[in-house]
Amino acid sequence: MAIQTTPTTSETAAASQDAGPSGTARGGEVLLEVRDVVKAFGGLHAVDHCSFDVRRGTITGLIGPNGAGKTTMFNNITGFITPDSGTIRYRGQDITGLRPDQIFASGLCRTFQIPREHGTMSVLENLMLVPMRQKGENIWNAWFHGAEVRRQEEQNRDKALEVLGYLELTHVRDEYAGNLSGGQKKLLELGRTLMTGPELVLLDEPAAGVNRTLLKRLTSNIEYLSRERGITFLLIEHDMNMVMSLCDPVIVMSEGRKLVEGSPDEVRNNQSVLEAYLGGQYAAAEG
């Protein structure tokens, strides 16, 4: 979808609402719209009439305490569960209730808090498995169109090797994925999303279980992909140093609802956020 050069009145108003302190809107057009989404499990409303936007070109942070509804919201967006009510739009299209594979095929991908690699396959094979509608998946193509199957496999292999080189994982390409460290598995998860050519990537706690060296590389990769390849990110994270240095805007959820949205400085200096979610660490630093 091309970015409109002449916004409508409603788009101008929305951009004004999302403007930073300088009055300049963060990011471009709205890529993901979450509107009044509700998801309950029994009597517990994990997501309770929650609404927010993710604009093209941003790295948007989604924070809040355990139980705030962040991962449930990710599951609603990516089709792993269906909202009880509300709508979710991606690139202007209603994706509410679509299957995960349908949403994945549209260019919206996610990673998981606990990586879901195929442990008994090599790192390279994990990446080559990702592209959809591979000709070799059909036994008739393998028998009667072998040349086309081999050509596509070579293309997927070349792309996978390119991704591994970018992520600095080439040295473990033939290693079983299950033998990787926690940080390497997080990089592999990111690599799997890159095999699809995504527009929007949802990252679920990318810093969890990652040592500081690999975390620095992961953060640099996210920044590069956003800046140079135009990929938009929405990430859940409890590492506040990572969020405050990487994300703009930052959305805070509480009890299933959006509590606050703003720049890192605005969120960092919001009293309710300081008291409830940041444990005073930034307030203490500024005091």
Side-chain angles (χ1 to χ4, degrees):
M1 178 183 291
I3 298 177
Q4 290 183 323
T5 55
T6 305
T8 64
T9 301
S10 61
E11 288 170 334
T12 302
S16 176
Q17 290 175 356
D18 287 337
S22 65
T24 302
R26 304 182 188 94
E29 64 180 322
V30 173
L31 189 60
L32 177 71
E33 304 172 59
V34 175
R35 291 290 177 271
D36 206 31
V37 168
V38 175
K39 183 61 185 181
F41 299 99
L44 173 65
H45 280 72
V47 177
D48 190 9
H49 298 281
C50 187
S51 300
F52 61 83
D53 293 336
V54 175
R55 291 186 175 276
R56 186 183 297 276
T58 60
I59 303 174
T60 299
L62 184 62
I63 67 172
N66 291 330
K70 305 181 299 298
T71 296
T72 301
M73 179 58 77
F74 263 31
N75 288 336
N76 280 307
I77 293 170
T78 53
F80 285 86
I81 58 177
T82 301
D84 298 328
S85 61
T87 59
I88 300 168
R89 292 182 176 272
Y90 173 59
R91 297 189 302 179
Q93 301 297 314
D94 190 347
I95 62 170
T96 315
L98 292 184
R99 300 190 312 269
D101 62 296
Q102 294 173 313
I103 295 172
F104 176 83
S106 73
L108 193 164
C109 305
R110 72 169 293 178
T111 65
F112 293 87
Q113 180 179 351
I114 300 174
R116 298 188 176 187
E117 77 284 350
H118 298 281
T120 58
M121 298 177 70
S122 73
V123 170
L124 180 61
E125 289 169 338
N126 266 262
L127 295 186
M128 292 181 63
L129 188 65
V130 172
M132 300 183 67
R133 294 182 289 275
Q134 296 190 43
K135 295 182 183 297
E137 295 173 355
N138 186 312
I139 192 171
W140 299 107
N141 286 333
W143 283 351
F144 300 111
H145 303 284
E148 292 182 24
V149 171
R150 287 191 294 273
R151 184 163 53 250
Q152 187 182 59
E153 286 182 348
E154 283 300 314
Q155 292 172 347
N156 289 338
R157 178 184 175 85
D158 290 344
K159 185 172 183 179
L161 289 172
E162 178 186 358
V163 169
L164 290 176
Y166 166 69
L167 296 174
E168 300 180 36
L169 290 176
T170 304
H171 62 292
V172 294
R173 72 179 197 177
D174 297 320
E175 181 66 69
Y176 287 129
N179 294 339
L180 298 181
S181 70
Q184 289 172 328
K185 288 180 179 180
K186 290 294 179 75
L187 287 170
L188 178 58
E189 280 269 289
L190 180 58
R192 283 158 59 90
T193 69
L194 297 182
M195 289 296 293
T196 69
E199 285 192 83
L200 174 60
V201 176
L202 278 57
L203 302 174
D204 194 349
E205 296 196 34
V210 180
N211 67 48
R212 305 315 296 181
T213 299
L214 285 179
L215 179 58
K216 184 176 180 180
R217 187 196 306 175
L218 180 61
T219 301
S220 296
N221 287 338
I222 294 169
E223 290 177 325
Y224 172 83
L225 291 168
S226 174
R227 181 180 65 251
E228 301 296 334
R229 299 198 179 185
I231 299 176
T232 302
F233 289 91
L234 173 64
L235 66 92
I236 294 172
E237 189 49 65
H238 288 287
D239 186 323
M240 290 298 102
N241 289 324
M242 180 183 183
V243 170
M244 295 303 171
S245 65
L246 181 64
C247 301
D248 189 4
V250 177
I251 299 168
V252 183
M253 285 187 68
S254 172
E255 298 179 344
R257 296 173 175 262
K258 184 177 80 172
L259 175 65
V260 174
E261 177 176 353
S263 70
D265 283 342
E266 291 166 342
V267 170
R268 188 160 37 210
N269 293 304
N270 183 285
Q271 191 59 40
S272 63
V273 175
L274 289 171
E275 292 174 357
Y277 305 108
L278 301 186
Q281 58 178 302
Y282 288 99
E286 292 180 2

